[in-house]
Amino acid sequence: MTIKLRHWQAEALNKALTWLLSSEGDRHFIINAAPGAGKTIAACTIAQELITRGEIDRVVVIAPRAEVVNQWSADFQRVTGRFMSKVTGSDGDIDALGIDVCSTWAAVQGLQDGFQAICNSARTLVICDEHHHAAVEAAWGSSADSAFAKAKHVLVLTGTPIRSDGERSVWLAYDDAGAIDHPEGGTYTLTYGEAVDLEYCRPVTFHKHEGHFTVDLDGGESVEVASHKPAELTKELKRIPGLQSALDFYRLACTPQYEADGSTPLMTGYQATMLEWGSRKLDNLRLRMPDAGGLVIAPNIEMAEYMAQLIEAIEGEAPMIVHSQMNNPDARIKAFRNTNKRWIVSVAMISEGVDIKRLRVLVHLPNALTELAFRQAIGRVVRTQGHDDDTRAYVVMPCTETFEAYARRIELEMSPGKRKDPGTPKTKKCPACHTECDIKAVECDCCGHVFPSHGGPQFKACSDCGALNPVAATNCHACGTSFGTSFSLSLDEALRTGAIVRGMELDEAEVSAGETMAGPVRRDVLKSGDSTLIRIYRQLPDESLARFLKIAEHAREEG
């Protein structure tokens, strides 16, 4: 099948072939292109050309997660016409399959011997997607270095090349500033700003969502917390273990807020106002892209379920939820991709490489706070749907210095003309015949299609006086109460989203499980009389026990 390449993809193809086949350079070629720019198709085309020229016999693809591996298999077959099989650690002798294969980075260690056999028996092109996963000192990195040592060519793909943990990635050299130090002839780079200007990606607008929290403490005291105003504690309060970290603005932003009954989501709470803004923006976007969708990235399962409740209350439609604890989340992602559903809520499932082109709104409340994770998240909502796509991407995020710094760097990559948000569209597209119609039209003048009335609340009640106000109102028309900036939490709400222990981010389920098992574990360890075991145990806070035992159990199963 002939694929029409974007200009940058054609340039990358020519440069890769020159480097890999005509120069005396090393066997690695790097494509450093913005998330959503089309690295997968570019890589598949390079593989196809190497196959056609008789330079390679087999192709191996390593990608970050199962959903992305499935996408690779489909795109590879579409471009090359060759079937690519997904393999896991339980597949045994993968060399004997005699076909192209793909797997996750997590599976590399278990498949190390099989990959070595493929590279030893055939001229192999290895494609490493989201290469920052392969830190030199990490198990995946060392396994990859060994497994693919005899590969004829290695194509490295990345949109976020610098690992946030400071570890070097296997095969790539870095300069003193932490940037990739690979020969220019062996590298093709396309920044996000360039991708936007070339209309390969959609421009993005960041909505920094402010909040002023009043946290009620035991004993009648209250503490004020705002995004750029940390909690000011008295000497007595500073003595309370963990209170200062519990009153961190971002942590409060990730704390569910309920009505007095303890189970009904608070519709005037911080997250509800984030979602109201996102819902209205999605309504506007659907005037130009009728199937536009929204993504919520939540820090944990409890918060994901809470956000889903809020969306259903705001819009009257329950969103899709995906997380690692449910059966077959990849099927849910695929279903959302191919439906008209408005929202999907994810816990670490829709991230790097997952391609859902219709996503345009991101409500960003993640667990990972690195710039790498931030840029990968933005990459989910900037993919274009083609030449007629004139939409923007929108990100709703807590107003924190960390997120603001990341957002400013991304905004500065775009040319000045692309940074400006045009606001509410003046016309809308008919989803049936694509005719441009007046924004207020009930039906299309050309084909008679009746435009849907989009979801989202038309009015909201004032929490002070009960008066109904337009959903976009910032102050109550009856009593003047300000909407969407001040929120009240009790101490137990502020503390129930987990803990930060010895640098580890633990969610509430892990903390609760660790505290529950602490007594029996302590008793058994002390009873053993093993001084080494006792010394190790004393280094582990009670809250971390559940995670420690989970890691140990996983290692036992893998071993």
Side-chain angles (χ1 to χ4, degrees):
M1 178 178 180
T2 302
I3 299 292
K4 184 178 180 180
L5 297 179
R6 293 171 174 173
H7 181 66
W8 85 264
Q9 293 168 331
E11 286 186 339
L13 168 63
N14 292 333
K15 193 170 186 180
L17 294 176
T18 298
W19 178 258
L20 296 175
L21 303 181
S22 304
S23 75
E24 297 300 321
D26 68 20
R27 61 197 178 102
H28 305 94
F29 186 82
I30 299 170
I31 296 180
N32 177 14
K39 292 187 290 293
T40 302
I41 296 300
C44 289
T45 305
I46 292 170
Q48 170 63 31
E49 189 63 29
L50 291 173
I51 293 168
T52 300
R53 296 188 183 199
E55 294 290 336
I56 58 172
D57 306 308
R58 295 178 72 174
V59 178
V60 173
V61 172
I62 312 297
R65 41 188 337 111
E67 169 65 14
V68 184
V69 168
N70 292 335
Q71 290 173 203
W72 265 102
S73 178
D75 287 340
F76 186 83
Q77 186 164 16
R78 180 163 64 94
V79 174
T80 68
R82 290 163 56 127
F83 174 70
M84 175 172 277
S85 176
K86 176 183 175 182
V87 293
T88 66
S90 62
D91 284 317
D93 185 7
I94 58 175
D95 181 33
L97 295 174
I99 57 176
D100 304 313
V101 296
C102 51
S103 79
T104 63
W105 279 102
V108 171
Q109 192 170 14
L111 292 168
Q112 181 173 329
D113 291 344
F115 286 136
Q116 285 178 333
I118 290 176
C119 294
N120 287 337
S121 64
R123 297 171 300 168
T124 305
L125 168 68
V126 177
I127 302 175
C128 299
D129 189 18
E130 303 298 350
H131 179 262
H132 53 268
H133 279 276
V136 171
E137 300 302 325
W140 298 355
S142 58
S143 298
D145 199 24
S146 176
F148 306 125
K150 295 298 180 67
K152 183 176 183 182
H153 300 298
V154 177
L155 185 58
V156 173
L157 310 181
T158 182
T160 45
I162 309 302
R163 283 182 59 92
S164 56
D165 58 10
E167 296 288 352
R168 293 191 172 195
S169 295
V170 61
W171 303 320
L172 297 186
Y174 293 81
D175 62 19
D176 293 338
I180 290 178
D181 185 17
H182 193 68
E184 193 280 332
T187 306
Y188 189 93
T189 300
L190 181 75
T191 68
Y192 171 66
E194 291 170 337
V196 170
D197 289 341
L198 293 168
E199 298 189 347
Y200 301 146
C201 295
R202 306 310 310 150
V204 62
T205 294
F206 296 95
H207 172 78
K208 293 166 280 192
H209 204 70
E210 180 61 277
H212 301 275
F213 294 99
T214 300
V215 183
D216 300 323
L217 308 177
D218 292 339
E221 292 187 81
S222 295
V223 178
E224 302 288 332
V225 183
S227 61
H228 297 288
K229 183 184 177 184
E232 296 181 0
L233 303 183
T234 64
K235 290 182 179 180
E236 290 73 20
L237 292 177
K238 288 179 180 179
R239 296 191 183 102
I240 301 176
L243 181 59
Q244 188 74 62
S245 62
L247 296 177
D248 173 73
F249 174 79
Y250 184 71
R251 192 169 181 184
L252 296 177
C254 294
T255 300
Q257 296 175 259
Y258 294 99
E259 299 282 3
D261 61 10
S263 61
T264 303
L266 184 65
M267 297 308 297
T268 55
Y270 180 81
Q271 301 86 7
T273 58
M274 291 183 80
L275 289 169
E276 281 186 348
W277 191 93
S279 176
R280 294 196 301 273
K281 189 55 65 177
L282 194 56
D283 284 343
N284 286 340
L285 283 161
R286 285 197 162 208
L287 299 173
R288 307 296 304 166
M289 182 194 292
D291 66 344
L295 165 65
V296 177
I297 294 181
N300 51 55
I301 295 173
E302 178 196 11
M303 193 65 181
E305 293 173 345
Y306 171 78
M307 297 294 273
Q309 286 181 286
L310 283 174
I311 291 172
E312 185 170 9
I314 290 170
E315 299 200 345
E317 176 186 276
M320 190 84 77
I321 302 182
V322 287
H323 55 74
S324 60
Q325 300 303 308
M326 60 176 40
N327 293 327
N328 204 357
D330 291 343
R332 287 173 169 259
I333 294 173
K334 185 176 182 180
F336 180 83
R337 180 187 292 116
N338 294 289
T339 65
N340 196 38
K341 201 169 184 67
R342 284 170 63 93
W343 288 94
I344 185 165
V345 183
S346 166
V347 183
M349 293 298 297
I350 301 180
S351 54
E352 52 205 1
V354 178
D355 186 359
I356 306 176
K357 288 184 172 62
R358 67 186 188 90
L359 286 176
R360 282 295 175 274
V361 178
L362 169 65
V363 177
H364 194 54
L365 284 169
N367 184 46
L369 304 181
T370 64
E371 183 165 4
L372 186 151
F374 187 84
R375 285 179 175 268
Q376 286 291 349
I378 304 309
R380 298 321 100 208
V381 294
V382 299
R383 283 163 158 75
T384 185
Q385 284 199 322
H387 295 298
D388 295 332
D389 186 355
D390 58 3
T391 60
R392 291 183 73 85
Y394 293 89
V395 177
V396 195
M397 63 188 193
C399 192
T400 71
E401 291 182 0
T402 299
F403 286 163
E404 287 177 23
Y406 299 159
R408 279 193 295 270
R409 284 197 277 273
I410 292 175
E411 287 175 331
L412 289 175
E413 290 177 14
M414 294 186 290
S415 59
K418 296 292 186 179
R419 297 175 202 164
K420 186 177 180 181
D421 184 354
T424 303
K426 303 297 188 292
T427 61
K428 56 186 176 183
K429 286 184 181 179
C430 173
C433 68
H434 304 292
T435 298
E436 294 284 348
C437 300
D438 184 84
I439 195 69
K440 296 180 180 179
V442 176
E443 61 182 42
C444 176
D445 295 333
C446 178
C447 69
H449 173 82
V450 178
F451 291 108
S453 55
H454 295 297
Q458 300 302 308
F459 298 95
K460 58 185 176 185
C462 173
S463 58
D464 285 358
C465 70
L468 293 178
N469 294 266
V471 72
T474 57
N475 296 86
C476 175
H477 70 87
C479 70
T481 296
S482 176
F483 292 121
T485 57
S486 298
F487 312 98
S488 180
L489 294 168
S490 63
L491 180 61
D492 61 336
E493 288 175 323
L495 292 172
R496 73 179 176 190
T497 56
I500 301 175
V501 181
R502 304 269 175 87
M504 292 182 291
E505 290 273 356
L506 304 174
D507 61 33
E508 180 60 20
E510 290 178 306
V511 172
S512 297
E515 291 172 338
T516 299
M517 66 177 63
V521 171
R522 184 186 302 110
R523 182 192 63 236
D524 292 344
V525 169
L526 295 176
K527 187 186 295 183
S528 73
D530 188 323
S531 59
T532 301
L533 185 60
I534 293 172
R535 186 174 66 254
I536 293 173
Y537 172 77
R538 285 175 175 169
Q539 300 299 313
L540 296 171
D542 290 347
E543 296 87 350
S544 68
L545 286 176
R547 177 173 293 188
F548 176 79
L549 294 178
K550 182 179 180 180
I551 293 172
E553 178 63 18
H554 178 73
R556 186 188 67 79
E557 293 175 352
E558 290 292 314

